[in-house]
Amino acid sequence: MAFNKKRTLALPDEILMQIEKPARYTGNEINMVKKDPSAVDIRFCMCFPDVYEIGMSHLGIQILYDMFNRWDDTYCERVYSPWPDLDRIMRERKIPLFALESQQPVRRFDFLGITLQYEMCYTNILQILDLSGIPLYAKDRTSEDPFVICGGPCTYNPEPVADFFDLVYIGEGETSYRELLDQYKAWKKSGETRRKFLERAAKVEGIYVPSLYEVAYEDDGTIREMRPLCEAAPRKVKKQVVTDMEHTYYPEKPLVPYIRATQDRVVLEIQRGCIRGCRFCQAGMIYRPIRPRDVEELKRLAVEMLENTGYEEITLSSLSSSDYNELAELVYFLIEECKERKVNVSLPSLRIDAFSLDVMEKVQDVRKSSLTFAPEAGSQRMRDVINKGLTEEVILDGARQAFQGGWNRVKLYFMLGLPGEREEDIEAIAVLADQVAAVYFERPKEERNGRPEISVSSSFFVPKPFTPFQWAPMDMAEQFEEKRRFLRDKVKQQINRRTIRYHCHDAVTSELEGLFARGDRRLAGVIEEAYRRGCLFDAWTDWFKEDVWEQVLSDKHVSRQFYNYRERGKDEIFPWDFIDIGVTKEFLYREYERAGQEVVTPNCREKCSGCGAHRFGTGVCVEKGGSAR
């Protein structure tokens, strides 16, 4: 395969002129890596199964793209889901799906790596495979096909899509990929069967090979056993964790698209993990323990990335930025560095109880932006149930500091349908939002910056694997809708209603997300059938086909009572129990019980709760000089 330095585009001009945003498919972005495909041992195509603008904003792919392409023997390229306009043309003209860098068919690659970021992208996985000419099911693939591997948050229960993948990477990608690719090179030289490589791969820590396992079910539909079919397949697959954040990969020259992406800015990841233990939050459990990056290295990276991209904004990425010990030092540095560049500093994931008025005022000097707070629940009782650890006093004081710092735009995020929720808890959301607005009017009129803009957003609670609420029942879509209407009416009744706007997530897609979040292998046929009937881009309101999904679920006799609405038994075997995330099932159930008792669990820095994450020997578990419990 000769390297074409001029790189002929896979789509002729006449097609590019017919579609929306042709730059989604032409590649050649700033900082794109160019290699000779014929001069490498491994070609890896990295895929985000959603539209280009969403996929280009994904930090995980930027990190892996940088890492793979630093290796001389590997060339990593990218592909995203074609938007429906191009999807139609590619099918009509039989144009195979192609990678952006070389514009060559995805099927020619050694690996196709697909990121599973959210459950509502599952039909797009099949679109990628179908347009590439790769059999949808792993069992049907031959030596002519690449190995299809997935990674990302949804791999913490990969079972609904397990039949579509040869390999599943569980955990952080910087750790085991090198060993996996070395095994691939050795296998390629050996002349062994495709199955033999899968057995080799299963021995690499963090790699799950679905075809090497068999699932047996009880008469009531629950799992009796998940059994390995060969010695190479371990009973437990251990998630991969980067333990040395100071000597790992991070892109100094991130890709910069020619069209506006969802997150059109430099992203600086300051730490991984979280100490808080919110009982609804999957990320807070699966990414334990907390691991901060060195502040001096972050300063260097920030300058390099701003120089290499020309972006006008830098955002600090973390599950809880306020828990980064050197946050103030880093922010002060960035403010000074960004002033002359006229670059905005964005501080998401800040906790209201940890606000620094001084930091806020300095960021305000650079460029004005809105502030986002996430109380998650309106009443104190409900915040105790979910272990949010915030009081009304702290929330209002945080809002007061924000308004004093010059902000008048505040976004408040809540959830509806939380376990144990009562009507008064929902009403408390509207009351709290009104109290936040009222705090603004405490200030003298001459000090106000116009009227405040208070945005209240509510999503619907979806129980996720590896959280204390993985045992909890989920509301029906009808119950969600009833609660949404109730909250909307309560918001309208508030005294400061002209300052408050209310938005809510869709109930039906939330219900479907819950189905796949805790589903099992028996749902693969459901996903395939929905795809065959035209379901695609299900996360997009304009493209979600509710009637089709309802018909498929009915035709396939899927019980939402079984998957969504029932409370799980304490000892029930879950589809994801074969994964070891460090945090133990015993700890999670203990937290589920404490939720029912409305008891708060201290954060990791206050007191170790014995979750099990200390086994990874890093982060807050050992930062005080010794391993915790």
Side-chain angles (χ1 to χ4, degrees), residues 199-238:
E199 291 180 4
R200 282 174 177 259
K203 296 177 182 178
V204 177
E205 196 169 82
I207 302 298
Y208 166 52
V209 182
S211 63
L212 301 184
Y213 295 81
E214 182 178 66
V215 183
Y217 298 93
E218 302 285 3
D219 292 340
D220 64 359
T222 59
I223 294 174
R224 179 189 308 139
E225 180 189 20
M226 183 172 182
R227 183 171 62 89
L229 297 175
C230 65
E231 289 185 5
R235 284 199 168 271
K236 283 276 189 179
V237 179
K238 187 178 180 182

Side-chain angles (χ1 to χ4, degrees), residues 131-304:
L131 289 177
S132 299
I134 300 170
L136 302 188
Y137 288 91
K139 63 182 176 61
D140 298 326
R141 293 177 197 138
T142 69
S143 58
E144 299 299 310
D145 300 299
F147 288 99
V148 183
I149 184 171
C150 63
C154 290
T155 59
Y156 287 90
N157 178 24
E159 291 304 275
V161 292
D163 288 347
F164 306 133
F165 288 96
D166 300 292
L167 309 160
V168 179
Y169 188 113
I170 297 172
E172 296 169 357
E174 299 97 317
T175 58
S176 290
Y177 261 120
R178 184 64 265 176
E179 182 181 353
L180 178 66
L181 298 189
D182 286 342
Q183 286 288 351
Y184 175 78
K185 287 167 66 176
W187 167 80
K188 207 171 181 181
K189 291 178 181 178
S190 72
E192 295 172 341
T193 63
R194 189 177 178 92
R195 161 80 179 217
K196 281 296 183 182
F197 173 69
L198 296 178
E199 291 180 4
R200 282 174 177 259
K203 296 177 182 178
V204 177
E205 196 169 82
I207 302 298
Y208 166 52
V209 182
S211 63
L212 301 184
Y213 295 81
E214 182 178 66
V215 183
Y217 298 93
E218 302 285 3
D219 292 340
D220 64 359
T222 59
I223 294 174
R224 179 189 308 139
E225 180 189 20
M226 183 172 182
R227 183 171 62 89
L229 297 175
C230 65
E231 289 185 5
R235 284 199 168 271
K236 283 276 189 179
V237 179
K238 187 178 180 182
K239 78 166 182 183
Q240 296 304 286
V241 172
V242 176
T243 56
D244 182 5
M245 295 296 289
E246 292 183 31
H247 301 94
T248 188
Y249 297 93
Y250 204 79
E252 296 180 5
K253 295 182 176 181
L255 289 154
V256 181
Y258 287 120
I259 57 175
R260 182 172 293 277
T262 305
Q263 294 189 20
D264 205 29
R265 65 197 71 151
V266 164
V267 179
L268 188 65
E269 183 190 48
I270 61 176
Q271 63 185 5
R272 292 184 187 173
C274 186
I275 63 172
R276 294 292 164 176
C278 297
R279 293 176 179 132
F280 60 85
C281 181
Q282 185 187 53
M285 296 297 169
I286 63 177
Y287 296 127
R288 285 191 176 195
I290 194 169
R291 289 150 290 142
R293 292 185 185 272
D294 177 70
V295 68
E296 296 302 323
E297 177 64 7
L298 289 173
K299 293 175 184 177
R300 186 191 69 80
L301 282 170
V303 173
E304 287 285 338

Side-chain angles (χ1 to χ4, degrees), residues 13 29 43 220 362 440:
D13 289 346
E29 304 99 328
R43 297 190 67 189
D220 64 359
K362 289 183 182 299
Y440 181 83

Side-chain angles (χ1 to χ4, degrees), residues 412-431:
L412 299 171
Y413 283 99
F414 299 92
M415 279 187 286
L416 293 175
L418 288 162
E421 183 180 69
R422 303 169 187 164
E423 189 174 272
E424 57 263 33
D425 298 314
I426 302 174
E427 184 174 3
I429 294 174
V431 172

